[in-house]
Amino acid sequence: MANVVKKHSISSELAQKMVDAAVAKAREIGVTENVAILDDGGNLKAFSRMDGAPILSIEMAQNKAYTALFGVSTQDFFNFIQGDPSLLAGIPTLARVAAWGGGFPIKVNGENCRGDRVERGAHGAERRRLRKSSPGARTRGGAERVIRARP
């Protein structure tokens, strides 16, 4: 049908598995996280706030997830806009857009699902260890990771 668009989206079951895996890894490395998975419309699909995770970072985690709907990690997004003064000034004024690291797009069978997994709370070496050991993650030039979900 010419008037129908096919899109990919993860199931709520897979979204919860991704949250559980991120929480387990955060516990393993001794950090607290807020983990958010959004659907392709930017709506919350799965979420967890670990005990001790900052309350203010609940919204930050969801905003990073929303920003990853652009199809790139939020760190890559920041790297893109930082060289353009008009983008660097304008992007922060947009609701729900977060231009700092921690948001990652989800890909299924190589196609962007427009969902996201976010780690929030780990910093520096802890965040690098979390990304390096994320289940299902693949490296992109040593920078952020793209999550590859298996249907």
Side-chain angles (χ1 to χ4, degrees):
M1 265 185 167
N3 295 327
V4 176
V5 176
K6 180 181 176 183
K7 63 181 181 175
H8 293 279
S9 185
I10 62 172
S11 67
S12 58
E13 180 182 4
L14 179 57
Q16 190 59 53
K17 286 180 183 179
M18 294 171 76
V19 166
D20 294 344
V23 167
K25 181 50 68 178
R27 281 190 185 116
E28 181 182 313
I29 65 172
V31 297
T32 58
E33 301 283 318
N34 286 303
V35 182
I37 309 286
L38 302 185
D39 67 14
D40 62 326
N43 304 297
L44 194 59
K45 189 90 172 194
F47 180 81
S48 179
R49 178 179 172 262
M50 295 176 66
D51 293 340
I55 292 173
L56 291 177
S57 68
I58 293 170
E59 184 176 352
M60 294 168 66
Q62 291 180 36
N63 288 349
K64 287 189 285 183
Y66 184 82
T67 304
L69 294 173
F70 289 122
V72 297
S73 73
T74 54
Q75 184 63 55
D76 288 345
F77 179 68
F78 174 74
N79 293 344
F80 174 75
I81 69 168
Q82 73 178 346
D84 185 325
S86 62
L87 286 176
L88 196 55
I91 292 295
T93 67
L94 299 174
R96 298 185 71 186
V97 176
W100 60 86
F104 306 92
I106 296 171
K107 294 193 180 254
V108 173
N109 296 327
E111 293 190 41
N112 201 345
C113 273
R114 302 286 186 188
D116 180 53
R117 170 180 149 189
V118 174
E119 289 103 22
R120 176 67 186 116
H123 298 282
E126 293 172 13
R127 183 174 294 283
R128 286 189 294 278
R129 279 196 311 269
L130 184 58
R131 277 186 293 205
K132 187 175 183 178
S133 58
S134 291
R138 82 178 153 82
T139 306
R140 290 190 5 195
E144 301 292 353
R145 309 281 174 149
V146 174
I147 304 304
R148 291 188 304 173
R150 292 181 183 87

